[in-house]
Amino acid sequence: MIAVLKHELSGYFHSLTAYIFSAFLLAFVGIGALIYNIQSAVANFEYVLGYVCLGLVVIIPILTMRIIAEERKQKTDQLLYSLPIRTFQIVMGKYIALLAVFLVPLCIVALYPLIFAQFGEVYLPTSYGSLFAFFMMGAAMIAVGMFISSLTENQGFAAGIAIPVILLNYYSVTLAEYVSATASGSAAAIVVIAVLLGCIIRHLTKNENLAYGISFVVILAVLAVYLAERSKLEGLLPNIMRKLSLFERFYTFVNGVFDLTAIVYYITVIIFFLFLCVQSLEKRRYN
């Protein structure tokens, strides 16, 4: 794993990738600080991080698009599979390298609250609590982008899929106000999600029995609840869309509340998508 980590870090910092990513992230933070902290004379640095969230929708997929897709395109992934290490270690080496690239500009951003504190009252616990949550949210988005990159050998396609997926998550709370809150609408949506989940599992594992079995169990459970107590499904779909939002949980920190459940949710998303990434590579490894 250490060898993969060193190789990835060398590739990022001996090319322009890490520097361009850092430049864009620092530019977003600088513009946000200029608007909120300097022009508007607001002492809350966490508002700047809330502004930068939309920028992550674009720059995170661009950072992750090549992490595995390029290996597949150049056929160098075959060399990785020949190494005496497990697929999990390969994925973790690449993921930690991406976290390091993401962490470098955040170390510079961490100086902003201290600088602003010299010229006014800045509540540092809220600022640094929001910065920690910002890092965890970015780490979850990196895991999502890395999984999408493992599904294709086209970097542009990987970014083109990751950006809409993360953008949909960004606007999920707003869209939740327009989706059906009826029991039948929620049931239909869950059935569609179950079918899509089965297709993903079948693609990753090539195990049709497992894929169809999981989809069938979920659909059967939804039908049972729908027939037995339909009221439990009312408003379920909008509620799920709100709960799955990475960004809405981050805004809790911006409002001054350290939400431990949000951190647990970010860690869960990271583990889930890294697991899917491992399964995707395992499928290619043994094929």
Side-chain angles (χ1 to χ4, degrees):
M1 186 178 76
I2 301 299
V4 175
L5 173 61
K6 290 181 178 179
H7 176 267
E8 292 297 327
L9 288 177
S10 176
Y12 281 123
F13 288 101
H14 284 87
S15 65
L16 294 176
T17 304
Y19 303 102
I20 292 175
F21 173 80
S22 299
F24 273 102
L25 182 55
L26 291 174
F28 281 119
V29 174
I31 294 172
L34 178 65
I35 295 173
Y36 290 98
N37 298 127
I38 299 177
Q39 289 186 350
S40 301
V42 176
N44 302 77
F45 179 73
E46 54 271 16
Y47 293 166
V48 176
L49 298 177
Y51 164 82
V52 177
C53 284
L54 187 57
L56 288 184
V57 173
V58 178
I59 61 177
I60 290 291
I62 292 177
L63 174 66
T64 61
M65 66 180 184
R66 60 166 291 275
I67 187 68
I68 298 177
E70 185 179 35
E71 299 272 10
R72 294 183 61 174
K73 183 178 181 181
Q74 297 180 353
K75 307 301 181 183
T76 54
D77 57 335
Q78 304 299 325
L79 296 176
L80 289 176
Y81 299 146
S82 65
L83 295 175
I85 57 176
R86 294 181 297 172
T87 306
F88 170 76
Q89 294 173 307
I90 296 174
V91 171
M92 286 304 301
K94 289 178 173 291
Y95 180 69
I96 294 173
L98 287 171
L99 289 184
V101 173
F102 182 49
L103 191 60
V104 168
L106 289 188
C107 291
I108 300 175
V109 173
L111 299 176
Y112 278 64
L114 296 176
I115 295 173
F116 292 143
Q118 303 301 315
F119 304 96
E121 294 184 4
V122 177
Y123 191 58
L124 295 179
T126 300
S127 297
Y128 285 107
S130 299
L131 188 61
F132 174 70
F134 186 81
F135 170 75
M136 293 300 299
M137 180 179 66
M141 293 167 62
I142 287 174
V144 174
M146 190 170 172
F147 166 64
I148 294 174
S149 178
S150 71
L151 299 177
T152 179
E153 61 182 31
N154 189 317
Q155 298 181 43
F157 183 74
I161 295 298
I163 290 175
V165 168
I166 298 176
L167 190 64
L168 179 63
N169 186 268
Y170 182 84
Y171 286 110
S172 62
V173 175
T174 303
L175 294 174
E177 300 177 1
Y178 300 97
V179 300
S180 175
T182 62
S184 57
S186 297
I190 295 175
V191 169
V192 172
I193 293 173
V195 173
L196 292 176
L197 180 63
C199 293
I200 293 174
I201 294 174
R202 181 178 180 275
H203 175 74
L204 293 178
T205 64
K206 294 297 183 182
N207 190 331
E208 294 185 357
N209 293 331
L210 176 64
Y212 297 150
I214 292 176
S215 297
F216 178 75
V217 169
V218 173
I219 293 173
L220 190 63
V222 171
L223 290 177
V225 174
Y226 183 80
L227 295 175
E229 196 168 352
R230 186 176 305 183
S231 60
K232 288 187 176 181
L233 293 176
E234 293 179 358
L236 181 62
L237 181 58
N239 189 42
I240 290 176
M241 293 178 66
R242 296 187 188 97
K243 294 293 185 182
L244 292 180
S245 174
L246 296 170
F247 300 90
E248 189 67 19
R249 292 176 181 270
F250 169 71
Y251 293 139
T252 304
F253 290 85
V254 174
N255 293 329
V257 178
F258 191 91
D259 186 6
L260 188 59
T261 59
I263 302 300
V264 174
Y265 175 65
Y266 291 144
I267 294 174
T268 303
V269 171
I270 292 169
I271 294 174
F272 177 70
F273 281 98
L274 289 183
F275 170 77
L276 292 181
C277 188
V278 170
Q279 297 306 310
S280 178
L281 294 185
E282 283 283 348
K283 187 195 91 170
R284 181 170 174 81
R285 184 173 195 166
Y286 291 108
N287 282 345

